[in-house]
Amino acid sequence: MPTVHSITYQLLRRQGLTTVFGNPGSNELPFLTGFPDDFRYVLGLHEGVVVGMADGYALGSHRPVLVNLHAAAGTGNAMGALTNAWYSHSPLVLTAGQQAREMIGVEAMLANVDAPSLPRPLVKWSAEPACAQDVPRTLSQAIQLANLPARGPVYVSIPHDDWAQRIEDDDALVVERQVEYTGVPQDCQVKALVTRLEQARNPVLVLGPEVDAERANELAVELAERLSAPVWVAPSASRCPFPTDHACFRGVLPAAVAGISTTLAGHDEVLVIGAPVFRYHQYAPGRYLPEGARLTLLTSDAQEAARAPMGDALVGAIKAMCDALLGQLGHCGRALPEAIVRPGRALPSEVPGRLTPEAVFDALNALAPEDAIYVKESTSTVTAFWQRVVLRHPDSYFFPAAGGLGFGLPAAVGLQMARPDRRVIAVIGDGSANYAISALWSAAQYGVPVVFIILKNDTYGALRWFSRMLDAEDAPGLDVPGLDFCALARGYGVEAVSCVTTTAFEKALVEALSAKRPMLIEVPTTTIEP
Ligand code: TZD
Ligand code: CA
């Protein structure tokens, strides 16, 4: 007779969840015993790192990923990282070991009291199976739900005495299940939108992370060309959905209500694809849209569609909707917009011993492979990065989707594991690097050849800028002096070098890019504005 353990591993294998990111405790050992040879366990030394790596792996593989956390404490440590996974729609199947069933009520050590409530509201669904025999079915439900649009993390708490329990043959039926989303729009819905777009005088496209996640990038290019429309990336960009050297590309929209309506002034039709409307950040009230403009959103996320304060929405599969539009939309006959002018090569830094972030980005753009995958987590250098590093390929850029720091280092490790065919370059601020620094250990132990670049300006640069915006310049706690990232990296087993000139940085970068192991480059930099 099969056991809960044997059927669960069959299910995970069948669903392709054979890489497990975790940090174990006693509650999890009965699951991990007899870990099959065709599975891979990736240890993270803190649950923020575990979830960050799994998030990167899900973003890179476009597939659900299994995470194994330790009870309530492990779940708590994972919550910050879950904010990003929630907003990046990462299909993380989080499991947490629970005390033996009989010991939960008495609150024995490591009992996860009210386990399903703990990770809410940062999961789509969470549960603790009512009996051992229901564990495989509950996990199957979790995997399917994580993977159905809108994708996102789910959570299952599993008592550790369940794994050895016997189970009926019939319970194995769950292993074979396939659940798929169709989501094709109706012809009349497509027609109505095509008419709107064809009648528009001056349409504009705003593209969000779902375009990149659903691999609809090329369809978006075709749509932009048919409409001869400028293309903006939706505010607070966590991915790059459009080649930034394309004539239609304009940049990333500002993350403020007033800023968006000013930037889009003159457009009469705004087509937003695969983004919330909108992910604002700075408080700058104003009109939601420019005078006379209409907005239509295409998304697979019913919550995003319902939440928007303006515009119409079609909820369905992004690729199917883009395909359907292209099936009916003619060429507008207008000429393509003129390409934006990129800034020239960065001027040398005026501060001896420090590079400008612009010079670092120019070097990356010149020397890194064209299809490099960038994980970016330096908050004051976002605009400079988008201006200077050309992103041409799908899955080229990842930024924490909820702005929760501690994503960059581990996500880079997970992305590189999922995509050994492309080079991952993590560009991380000296503030951000500390929230999940032990990801360096996982990179070293598993031989994951990420190039880590730490921009060291000794401060929380973006907060310095915010403190001026919010008239709070006297706020404490905004500087981070005295950090030695080379020593930290070596302590975790990663080779490191500090570069104080552009020439030294370029040399170190070329070396790191050809290495088969992770390398960290620390660069003292000047502070610029986001
Ligand atoms: N804690 C967490 C988990 N997430 C956050 N976003 C913050 C604190 C607040 N925060 C920001 O929003 S930006 C920032 C902080 C602390 C500064 C990051 O500093 P950095 O980058 O050195 O990584 P820059 O380029 O110097 O801004
Ligand atoms: Ca900094």
Side-chain angles (χ1 to χ4, degrees):
M1 220 183 196
T3 60
V4 170
H5 187 275
S6 68
I7 294 292
T8 294
Y9 276 100
Q10 277 181 38
L11 170 76
L12 296 174
R13 184 178 290 117
R14 182 65 177 229
Q15 296 292 332
L17 286 82
T18 53
T19 297
V20 182
F21 293 88
N23 185 274
S26 50
N27 287 359
E28 293 73 35
L29 296 179
F31 164 63
L32 294 172
T33 182
F35 195 70
D37 286 344
D38 59 326
F39 279 60
R40 166 167 66 160
Y41 185 86
V42 182
L43 177 63
L45 301 185
H46 180 280
E47 289 79 359
V49 172
V50 171
V51 171
M53 289 195 295
D55 195 353
Y57 197 84
L59 292 168
S61 66
H62 299 237
R63 296 274 318 137
V65 176
L66 193 77
V67 178
N68 191 223
L69 302 172
H70 178 54
T75 305
N77 281 350
M79 289 292 278
L82 263 187
T83 63
N84 293 317
W86 171 260
Y87 281 105
S88 63
H89 293 299
S90 293
L92 303 186
V93 181
L94 306 160
T95 56
Q98 172 65 292
Q99 251 298 1
R101 286 189 181 266
E102 271 181 48
M103 305 276 279
I104 303 171
V106 297
E107 295 189 18
M109 287 276 276
L110 308 179
N112 188 351
V113 179
D114 196 8
S117 299
L118 186 59
R120 291 185 189 127
L122 297 176
V123 290
K124 281 176 77 173
W125 182 75
S126 64
E128 188 171 84
C131 64
Q133 284 67 27
D134 201 35
V135 169
R137 194 209 54 78
T138 306
L139 278 169
S140 163
Q141 184 175 353
I143 295 167
Q144 304 299 353
L145 277 172
N147 200 34
L148 284 165
R151 291 173 138 197
V154 295
Y155 183 84
V156 183
S157 161
I158 308 166
H160 72 71
D161 53 337
D162 284 3
W163 294 106
Q165 300 295 316
R166 303 217 163 261
I167 197 168
E168 296 300 322
D169 287 341
D170 227 29
D171 289 318
L173 283 173
V174 79
V175 171
E176 309 291 329
R177 301 196 65 230
Q178 273 195 38
V179 180
E180 286 174 34
Y181 175 69
T182 56
V184 178
Q186 294 171 34
D187 198 52
C188 59
Q189 295 169 319
V190 180
K191 270 208 178 79
L193 181 53
V194 166
T195 305
R196 258 169 95 150
L197 292 170
E198 287 183 343
Q199 285 174 354
R201 232 181 342 92
N202 188 9
V204 60
L205 276 177
V206 178
L207 305 178
E210 204 187 349
V211 171
D212 196 40
E214 292 303 314
R215 298 190 168 108
N217 315 55
E218 280 179 18
L219 299 177
V221 170
E222 183 63 33
L223 272 174
E225 291 176 358
R226 293 253 188 111
L227 291 165
S228 281
V231 172
W232 289 91
V233 176
S236 310
S238 60
R239 302 177 77 129
C240 178
F242 196 81
T244 64
D245 58 350
H246 191 283
C248 293
F249 178 75
R250 283 295 167 274
V252 182
L253 279 179
V257 171
I260 290 178
S261 52
T262 312
T263 308
L264 298 182
H267 292 291
D268 54 344
E269 200 67 62
V270 184
L271 178 60
V272 185
I273 308 180
V277 171
F278 283 112
R279 215 47 184 137
Y280 304 111
H281 184 178
Q282 298 90 353
Y283 179 62
R287 297 183 65 91
Y288 281 124
L289 283 175
E291 194 70 47
R294 292 193 303 189
L295 181 147
T296 308
L297 164 67
L298 310 183
T299 177
S300 72
D301 187 338
Q303 303 250 14
E304 280 175 5
R307 188 195 315 136
M310 75 292 202
D312 302 333
L314 292 175
V315 181
I318 289 289
K319 255 185 132 165
M321 289 194 284
C322 290
D323 266 331
L325 272 185
L326 286 168
Q328 296 196 23
L329 186 71
H331 196 288
C332 66
R334 290 182 292 266
L336 282 189
E338 297 243 338
I340 49 167
V341 182
R342 288 185 178 275
R345 225 186 137 80
L347 298 172
S349 163
E350 285 172 4
V351 186
R354 286 184 190 272
L355 275 69
T356 61
E358 289 90 338
V360 174
F361 301 156
D362 283 353
L364 282 172
N365 195 45
L367 299 172
E370 200 218 26
D371 68 345
I373 296 175
Y374 290 96
V375 180
K376 178 76 176 38
E377 195 176 71
S378 148
T379 42
S380 65
T381 59
V382 173
T383 307
F385 185 88
W386 278 89
Q387 283 176 344
R388 286 171 187 273
V389 180
V390 177
L391 306 165
R392 291 189 185 87
H393 298 271
D395 291 347
S396 280
Y397 177 85
F398 296 92
F399 187 89
L405 304 179
F407 165 86
L409 285 181
V413 177
L415 267 154
Q416 185 70 84
M417 286 181 139
R419 300 300 285 271
D421 55 316
R422 290 170 67 181
R423 210 57 205 274
V424 175
I425 302 175
V427 181
I428 315 286
D430 54 352
S432 300
N434 299 291
Y435 297 87
I437 189 76
S438 66
L440 293 174
W441 179 87
S442 300
Q445 289 298 315
Y446 297 99
V448 189
V450 174
V451 179
F452 298 102
I453 297 170
I454 308 290
L455 303 178
K456 188 164 111 165
N457 59 4
D458 301 321
T459 188
Y460 288 147
L463 297 192
R464 283 263 159 238
W465 175 76
F466 260 112
S467 74
R468 290 191 288 280
M469 298 293 108
L470 296 171
D471 206 12
E473 274 181 88
D474 57 341
L478 301 189
D479 291 322
V480 288
L483 286 161
D484 179 346
F485 287 95
C486 291
L488 287 165
R490 286 181 200 123
Y492 282 114
V494 170
E495 253 180 77
V497 58
S498 182
C499 300
V500 296
T501 65
T502 308
T503 320
F505 175 69
E506 288 173 350
K507 184 166 166 283
L509 178 62
V510 170
E511 223 168 277
L513 285 167
S514 62
K516 298 220 161 18
R517 55 191 185 284
M519 303 266 290
L520 182 141
I521 307 174
E522 178 192 87
V523 196
T525 49
T526 54
T527 302
I528 60 172
E529 295 202 338

